[in-house]
Coordinates of all heavy atoms in Angstrom, one line a residue:
F209 N 212.8 -5.2 -178.4 CA 211.6 -5.5 -179.3 C 210.4 -6.0 -178.4 O 209.2 -5.5 -178.6 CB 212.1 -6.7 -180.3 CG 210.9 -7.4 -181.0 CD1 210.4 -6.9 -182.1 CD2 210.2 -8.5 -180.4 CE1 209.4 -7.5 -182.8 CE2 209.2 -9.1 -181.1 CZ 208.8 -8.6 -182.2
N210 N 210.7 -6.8 -177.5 CA 209.7 -7.4 -176.7 C 209.0 -6.4 -175.8 O 207.7 -6.4 -175.7 CB 210.3 -8.5 -175.7 CG 209.2 -9.4 -175.1 OD1 208.1 -9.3 -175.2 ND2 209.7 -10.4 -174.5
Y211 N 209.6 -5.4 -175.3 CA 209.0 -4.4 -174.5 C 208.0 -3.4 -175.3 O 206.9 -3.3 -175.0 CB 210.1 -3.4 -173.8 CG 209.4 -2.1 -173.2 CD1 208.5 -2.4 -172.2 CD2 209.7 -0.9 -173.6 CE1 207.8 -1.3 -171.5 CE2 209.1 0.1 -173.0 CZ 208.1 0.0 -172.0 OH 207.5 1.1 -171.4
I212 N 208.5 -3.0 -176.5 CA 207.7 -2.2 -177.3 C 206.4 -3.0 -177.8 O 205.3 -2.5 -177.7 CB 208.5 -1.7 -178.6 CG1 209.5 -0.7 -178.1 CG2 207.6 -1.0 -179.6 CD1 210.6 -0.4 -179.0
F213 N 206.6 -4.2 -178.2 CA 205.4 -4.9 -178.8 C 204.5 -5.5 -177.7 O 203.4 -5.6 -177.8 CB 205.9 -6.1 -179.7 CG 206.2 -5.5 -181.0 CD1 207.5 -5.0 -181.3 CD2 205.3 -5.5 -182.1 CE1 207.8 -4.5 -182.6 CE2 205.6 -4.9 -183.3 CZ 206.8 -4.4 -183.5
S214 N 205.2 -5.8 -176.4 CA 204.3 -6.2 -175.4 C 203.4 -5.1 -174.9 O 202.2 -5.3 -174.6 CB 205.1 -6.7 -174.2 OG 205.8 -8.0 -174.5
A215 N 203.9 -3.9 -174.8 CA 203.2 -2.8 -174.3 C 202.1 -2.5 -175.4 O 200.9 -2.5 -175.0 CB 204.1 -1.6 -174.2
R216 N 202.5 -2.3 -176.6 CA 201.5 -1.8 -177.5 C 200.6 -2.8 -178.1 O 199.4 -2.5 -178.3 CB 202.3 -1.0 -178.7 CG 203.0 0.2 -178.2 CD 203.7 0.9 -179.2 NE 204.4 2.1 -178.6 CZ 205.3 2.8 -179.2 NH1 205.5 2.5 -180.5 NH2 205.9 3.8 -178.6
F217 N 201.1 -4.0 -178.4 CA 200.3 -5.0 -179.1 C 199.6 -5.9 -178.0 O 198.4 -6.2 -178.1 CB 201.1 -5.8 -180.1 CG 200.4 -6.9 -180.7 CD1 199.4 -6.7 -181.6 CD2 200.7 -8.3 -180.4 CE1 198.7 -7.8 -182.2 CE2 200.1 -9.3 -181.0 CZ 199.1 -9.0 -182.0
T218 N 200.4 -6.6 -177.1 CA 199.8 -7.5 -176.3 C 198.9 -7.0 -175.2 O 197.8 -7.4 -175.1 CB 201.0 -8.2 -175.4 OG1 201.9 -8.9 -176.4 CG2 200.4 -9.3 -174.6
F219 N 199.3 -5.9 -174.5 CA 198.6 -5.4 -173.4 C 197.9 -4.0 -173.8 O 197.1 -3.5 -172.9 CB 199.5 -5.2 -172.1 CG 200.0 -6.6 -171.7 CD1 201.3 -6.9 -171.9 CD2 199.2 -7.4 -171.1 CE1 201.8 -8.0 -171.5 CE2 199.6 -8.7 -170.7 CZ 201.0 -9.1 -170.9
K220 N 198.1 -3.6 -174.9 CA 197.4 -2.4 -175.4 C 197.6 -1.1 -174.5 O 196.7 -0.5 -174.2 CB 195.9 -2.6 -175.7 CG 195.6 -3.9 -176.5 CD 194.9 -3.5 -177.7 CE 194.6 -4.9 -178.4 NZ 195.1 -4.9 -179.7
K221 N 198.8 -1.0 -174.1 CA 199.2 0.1 -173.2 C 200.3 1.0 -173.9 O 201.0 0.6 -174.8 CB 199.8 -0.4 -171.9 CG 199.0 -1.4 -171.2 CD 197.8 -0.7 -170.4 CE 197.0 -1.8 -169.6 NZ 195.9 -1.3 -169.0
K222 N 200.3 2.3 -173.4 CA 201.4 3.1 -173.9 C 202.7 2.8 -173.1 O 202.6 2.4 -172.0 CB 201.1 4.6 -173.6 CG 200.0 5.1 -174.5 CD 199.8 6.5 -174.4 CE 198.7 7.0 -175.2 NZ 198.4 8.5 -175.1
T223 N 203.9 2.9 -173.7 CA 205.0 2.7 -173.0 C 205.2 3.9 -172.0 O 204.8 5.0 -172.3 CB 206.3 2.6 -173.9 OG1 206.3 3.8 -174.8 CG2 206.2 1.4 -174.8
S224 N 205.7 3.7 -170.9 CA 205.9 4.7 -169.9 C 207.2 4.3 -169.0 O 207.6 3.2 -169.1 CB 204.7 4.8 -169.0 OG 204.6 3.7 -168.1
V225 N 207.6 5.3 -168.2 CA 208.7 5.0 -167.3 C 208.3 4.0 -166.3 O 209.1 3.0 -166.1 CB 209.2 6.3 -166.6 CG1 210.2 6.0 -165.5 CG2 209.8 7.3 -167.6
K226 N 207.1 4.0 -165.8 CA 206.6 3.0 -164.8 C 206.6 1.6 -165.3 O 207.1 0.7 -164.8 CB 205.3 3.5 -164.2 CG 205.3 4.6 -163.2 CD 203.9 4.7 -162.7 CE 203.9 5.8 -161.7 NZ 202.5 6.1 -161.2
N227 N 205.9 1.5 -166.5 CA 205.8 0.1 -166.9 C 207.1 -0.3 -167.6 O 207.4 -1.5 -167.6 CB 204.6 -0.1 -167.8 CG 204.6 0.6 -169.1 OD1 205.6 0.9 -169.7 ND2 203.4 0.9 -169.6
G228 N 207.9 0.5 -168.0 CA 209.2 0.2 -168.6 C 210.1 -0.3 -167.4 O 210.8 -1.3 -167.6
F229 N 210.1 0.4 -166.2 CA 210.9 -0.1 -165.1 C 210.4 -1.4 -164.6 O 211.2 -2.3 -164.4 CB 210.7 1.0 -164.0 CG 211.6 0.6 -162.8 CD1 212.9 0.7 -162.7 CD2 210.9 0.1 -161.7 CE1 213.7 0.4 -161.6 CE2 211.7 -0.3 -160.5 CZ 213.1 -0.1 -160.5
G230 N 209.1 -1.6 -164.6 CA 208.5 -2.9 -164.1 C 208.8 -4.0 -165.1 O 209.2 -5.1 -164.7
F231 N 208.7 -3.7 -166.4 CA 209.0 -4.6 -167.4 C 210.5 -5.0 -167.3 O 210.9 -6.2 -167.4 CB 208.7 -4.1 -168.8 CG 208.8 -5.0 -169.9 CD1 207.8 -5.8 -170.3 CD2 210.1 -5.1 -170.7 CE1 207.8 -6.7 -171.3 CE2 210.1 -6.1 -171.8 CZ 209.0 -6.8 -172.1
G232 N 211.4 -4.1 -167.1 CA 212.8 -4.3 -167.0 C 213.1 -5.1 -165.8 O 214.0 -6.0 -165.8
A233 N 212.4 -4.8 -164.6 CA 212.6 -5.7 -163.4 C 212.2 -7.2 -163.6 O 212.8 -8.0 -163.2 CB 211.9 -5.0 -162.2
A234 N 210.9 -7.3 -164.3 CA 210.5 -8.6 -164.6 C 211.5 -9.3 -165.5 O 211.8 -10.5 -165.4 CB 209.1 -8.6 -165.3
H235 N 212.0 -8.7 -166.4 CA 213.0 -9.3 -167.3 C 214.4 -9.5 -166.7 O 215.1 -10.4 -167.2 CB 213.0 -8.5 -168.7 CG 212.0 -9.0 -169.6 ND1 212.2 -10.0 -170.5 CD2 210.8 -8.7 -169.9 CE1 211.2 -10.2 -171.2 NE2 210.3 -9.4 -170.8
L236 N 214.7 -8.6 -165.8 CA 216.0 -9.0 -165.1 C 215.8 -10.3 -164.3 O 216.7 -11.2 -164.5 CB 216.3 -7.9 -164.0 CG 217.5 -8.1 -163.2 CD1 218.8 -8.3 -164.0 CD2 217.7 -7.0 -162.1
F237 N 214.7 -10.5 -163.7 CA 214.5 -11.8 -163.0 C 214.5 -12.9 -164.1 O 215.1 -14.0 -163.9 CB 213.1 -11.8 -162.3 CG 212.7 -13.2 -161.8 CD1 213.3 -13.6 -160.5 CD2 211.9 -14.0 -162.4 CE1 213.0 -14.8 -160.1 CE2 211.6 -15.2 -162.0 CZ 212.1 -15.7 -160.8
N238 N 213.8 -12.7 -165.2 CA 213.7 -13.7 -166.3 C 215.0 -13.9 -166.9 O 215.4 -15.1 -167.1 CB 212.7 -13.1 -167.4 CG 212.5 -14.1 -168.4 OD1 212.2 -15.4 -168.1 ND2 212.7 -13.7 -169.7
Y239 N 215.9 -12.9 -167.1 CA 217.3 -13.1 -167.6 C 218.0 -13.9 -166.6 O 218.8 -14.9 -167.1 CB 218.0 -11.8 -167.9 CG 219.4 -12.0 -168.1 CD1 219.9 -12.4 -169.4 CD2 220.4 -11.8 -167.2 CE1 221.2 -12.6 -169.7 CE2 221.8 -11.9 -167.4 CZ 222.1 -12.5 -168.7 OH 223.4 -12.6 -168.9
L240 N 218.1 -13.7 -165.3 CA 218.7 -14.4 -164.4 C 218.3 -15.9 -164.3 O 219.1 -16.8 -164.2 CB 218.6 -13.8 -163.0 CG 219.3 -12.5 -162.8 CD1 219.0 -11.8 -161.5 CD2 220.9 -12.5 -163.1
L241 N 217.0 -16.1 -164.4 CA 216.4 -17.4 -164.5 C 217.0 -18.1 -165.8 O 217.5 -19.3 -165.7 CB 214.9 -17.4 -164.5 CG 214.2 -18.7 -164.7 CD1 214.5 -19.7 -163.5 CD2 212.7 -18.5 -164.9
Q242 N 216.9 -17.5 -166.9 CA 217.4 -18.1 -168.2 C 218.9 -18.4 -168.2 O 219.3 -19.4 -168.6 CB 217.0 -17.1 -169.3 CG 215.5 -17.2 -169.6 CD 215.3 -16.6 -171.0 OE1 216.1 -16.5 -171.9 NE2 214.0 -16.1 -171.2
I243 N 219.7 -17.4 -167.7 CA 221.1 -17.6 -167.7 C 221.6 -18.8 -166.8 O 222.4 -19.6 -167.0 CB 221.9 -16.3 -167.5 CG1 223.4 -16.5 -168.1 CG2 222.0 -16.0 -166.1 CD1 223.5 -16.4 -169.5
T244 N 220.9 -18.8 -165.6 CA 221.1 -19.9 -164.7 C 220.7 -21.3 -165.3 O 221.5 -22.3 -165.3 CB 220.3 -19.8 -163.4 OG1 220.7 -18.5 -162.8 CG2 220.5 -20.8 -162.4
L245 N 219.5 -21.3 -165.9 CA 219.1 -22.6 -166.6 C 220.0 -23.0 -167.8 O 220.3 -24.2 -167.9 CB 217.7 -22.4 -167.1 CG 216.5 -22.4 -166.0 CD1 215.2 -22.0 -166.6 CD2 216.4 -23.7 -165.2
L246 N 220.4 -22.0 -168.5 CA 221.4 -22.2 -169.6 C 222.7 -22.9 -169.0 O 223.1 -23.9 -169.6 CB 221.8 -21.0 -170.3 CG 222.7 -21.2 -171.5 CD1 222.1 -21.9 -172.6 CD2 223.2 -19.8 -172.0
H247 N 223.1 -22.3 -168.0 CA 224.3 -22.9 -167.3 C 224.0 -24.4 -166.9 O 224.9 -25.2 -167.1 CB 224.6 -22.1 -166.0 CG 226.0 -21.8 -165.8 ND1 227.1 -22.7 -165.6 CD2 226.7 -20.6 -165.9 CE1 228.1 -22.1 -165.5 NE2 228.0 -20.8 -165.7
V248 N 222.9 -24.7 -166.3 CA 222.6 -26.0 -165.9 C 222.5 -27.0 -167.0 O 223.0 -28.0 -166.9 CB 221.2 -26.0 -165.1 CG1 220.7 -27.4 -164.8 CG2 221.5 -25.2 -163.8
F249 N 221.8 -26.5 -168.0 CA 221.7 -27.5 -169.2 C 222.9 -27.7 -169.9 O 223.2 -28.9 -170.4 CB 220.6 -26.9 -170.2 CG 219.2 -27.1 -169.7 CD1 218.4 -26.1 -169.4 CD2 218.6 -28.4 -169.5 CE1 217.1 -26.2 -168.9 CE2 217.4 -28.6 -168.9 CZ 216.6 -27.5 -168.7
L250 N 223.8 -26.7 -170.0 CA 225.1 -26.9 -170.6 C 225.9 -27.9 -169.7 O 226.6 -28.8 -170.2 CB 225.9 -25.6 -170.8 CG 225.3 -24.6 -171.9 CD1 226.0 -23.3 -171.8 CD2 225.6 -25.3 -173.3
W251 N 225.9 -27.7 -168.4 CA 226.6 -28.5 -167.4 C 226.1 -29.9 -167.6 O 226.8 -30.9 -167.4 CB 226.3 -28.0 -166.0 CG 227.0 -28.8 -164.9 CD1 228.3 -28.8 -164.6 CD2 226.3 -29.7 -164.0 NE1 228.6 -29.7 -163.5 CE2 227.4 -30.3 -163.2 CE3 225.0 -30.2 -163.9 CZ2 227.1 -31.2 -162.3 CZ3 224.7 -31.1 -162.9 CH2 225.7 -31.6 -162.1
L252 N 224.8 -30.1 -167.8 CA 224.2 -31.5 -168.0 C 224.6 -32.1 -169.3 O 224.2 -33.3 -169.5 CB 222.7 -31.4 -167.9 CG 222.1 -31.1 -166.4 CD1 220.7 -30.9 -166.5 CD2 222.5 -32.3 -165.5
G253 N 225.2 -31.4 -170.2 CA 225.7 -31.9 -171.4 C 224.8 -31.7 -172.6 O 225.1 -32.2 -173.7
V254 N 223.8 -30.8 -172.4 CA 223.0 -30.4 -173.6 C 224.0 -29.6 -174.5 O 224.6 -28.7 -174.1 CB 221.7 -29.7 -173.2 CG1 221.0 -29.2 -174.3 CG2 220.9 -30.5 -172.2

């Protein structure tokens, strides 16, 4: 959902292999950050 709407609505760009790959790489980093933080917050007792 985020890729399609970020490309077309947020940044007014067409979806492409290049920006799809870049978006995927950015989100891989983001996912790893999020899953690590989730682990930390659960460990802290949240």
Side-chain angles (χ1 to χ4, degrees):
F209 167 87
N210 199 348
Y211 172 61
I212 293 167
F213 282 86
S214 288
R216 295 182 182 173
F217 176 70
T218 302
F219 298 105
K220 310 237 184 241
K221 307 283 183 186
K222 291 183 179 180
T223 56
S224 71
V225 173
K226 283 184 181 179
N227 64 31
F229 182 75
F231 189 85
H235 272 271
L236 176 60
F237 174 83
N238 187 49
Y239 170 77
L240 293 173
L241 176 63
Q242 285 192 25
I243 202 72
T244 300
L245 290 170
L246 179 67
H247 223 294
V248 169
F249 286 114
L250 289 171
W251 179 78
L252 290 172
V254 178

